[in-house]
Amino acid sequence: MNNRLLLGFVFLVLIAAGVGIWQLIPTNAQLRWTEAMDAATKGNHTRTLQVANELLRDYPDSTAIHPLLAITSVRTGEYDQTLERYKSLSSIEAAQQSGYPDFLVTPQGELSDFLLEAGKICIKMGHCEVAEECWKGAIKNNANQHEARALLAQILAAQGRVWEMKGLLEKLVEDKQAKQQHALLLGLLNPTIADDALLAIWEEAV
């Protein structure tokens, strides 16, 4: 086989396998994400923030980039930026990330856990309103996120917003995750619950 035929054969093989070959080549987003994560691992916070923010301009609803920015902002003491990342993350809907690369999308269960912990951090920082957003986001991403539901009920009670707690308490009772104080509050909020039913909720409380 002369060189011309050989080159033609190789060219046809490459065309046939073209999709597979292109899949092996890292995209610009992959390269930038790898750079951001590598910088974070090495403690280079300035570079982490720079690359991650550049990437965020192309993928503003990424549930992977916002957490990285939030964590890095805590490490640099830029707490206002941390709160902004938490608020943005809490409001993102899964559909907003349609078409995003998988590595820029955090699974909803993991995202729910992250927002649960973010809310706790916000409480320690004295930002109850952001904690509320975080815990609502945690529940949105995982309907069985009972700890966030209980914590949300707690801050609503502390603010005197007791009527907003009813749905939260009913879900805790329904899933047998209520504590005795939840059963008591639900009895006060819903006087139509029969005494024997309320007693059963109290006895089943964890």
Side-chain angles (χ1 to χ4, degrees):
M1 185 180 292
N2 61 39
N3 289 339
R4 184 175 295 178
L5 289 174
L6 179 60
L7 287 172
F9 176 75
V10 171
F11 181 69
L12 290 173
V13 170
L14 289 175
I15 291 176
V19 174
I21 289 173
W22 285 116
Q23 286 175 341
L24 295 175
I25 300 174
T27 63
N28 185 43
Q30 283 177 301
L31 292 172
R32 286 187 292 166
W33 179 245
T34 299
E35 183 181 357
M37 293 299 291
D38 185 55
T41 300
K42 293 176 179 177
N44 188 342
H45 304 316
T46 300
R47 187 59 180 162
T48 302
L49 291 172
Q50 179 185 353
V51 178
N53 274 307
E54 289 173 358
L55 199 51
L56 191 67
R57 284 197 286 271
D58 294 331
Y59 301 94
D61 300 313
S62 168
T63 50
I65 301 174
H66 283 289
L68 176 60
L69 287 169
I71 292 168
T72 307
S73 296
V74 168
R75 291 171 177 168
T76 59
E78 298 174 90
Y79 299 118
D80 288 345
Q81 286 299 312
T82 303
L83 295 171
E84 286 303 313
R85 294 304 111 223
Y86 287 161
K87 287 192 285 187
S88 296
L89 197 57
S90 301
S91 65
I92 293 172
E93 301 288 344
Q96 292 174 244
Q97 299 178 94
S98 177
Y100 279 23
D102 288 345
F103 57 86
L104 293 181
V105 179
T106 301
Q108 285 186 285
E110 293 178 23
L111 179 58
S112 177
D113 291 341
F114 181 86
L115 287 170
L116 169 67
E117 297 306 318
K120 295 177 184 178
I121 292 171
C122 290
I123 288 293
K124 290 179 181 178
M125 293 170 65
H127 292 275
C128 293
E129 70 287 352
V130 184
E132 180 179 338
E133 291 184 44
C134 287
W135 289 332
K136 286 179 177 177
I139 296 165
K140 176 178 66 179
N141 283 281
N142 178 7
N144 295 317
Q145 181 55 269
H146 300 301
E147 185 177 356
R149 189 171 279 107
L151 288 169
L152 181 55
Q154 185 176 323
I155 63 169
L156 290 175
Q159 295 172 5
R161 297 158 61 189
V162 291
W163 290 106
E164 296 179 50
M165 299 166 51
K166 186 171 178 287
L168 297 169
L169 297 175
E170 288 174 340
K171 180 63 176 173
L172 288 170
V173 169
E174 178 185 336
D175 292 348
K176 300 187 185 304
Q177 295 295 317
K179 298 185 182 300
Q180 289 183 331
Q181 62 265 35
H182 298 144
L184 178 60
L185 283 168
L186 185 58
L188 294 172
L189 290 171
N190 189 353
T192 63
I193 298 178
D195 289 345
D196 55 346
L198 191 59
L199 179 60
I201 294 171
W202 178 276
E203 292 175 345
E204 288 180 356
V206 294

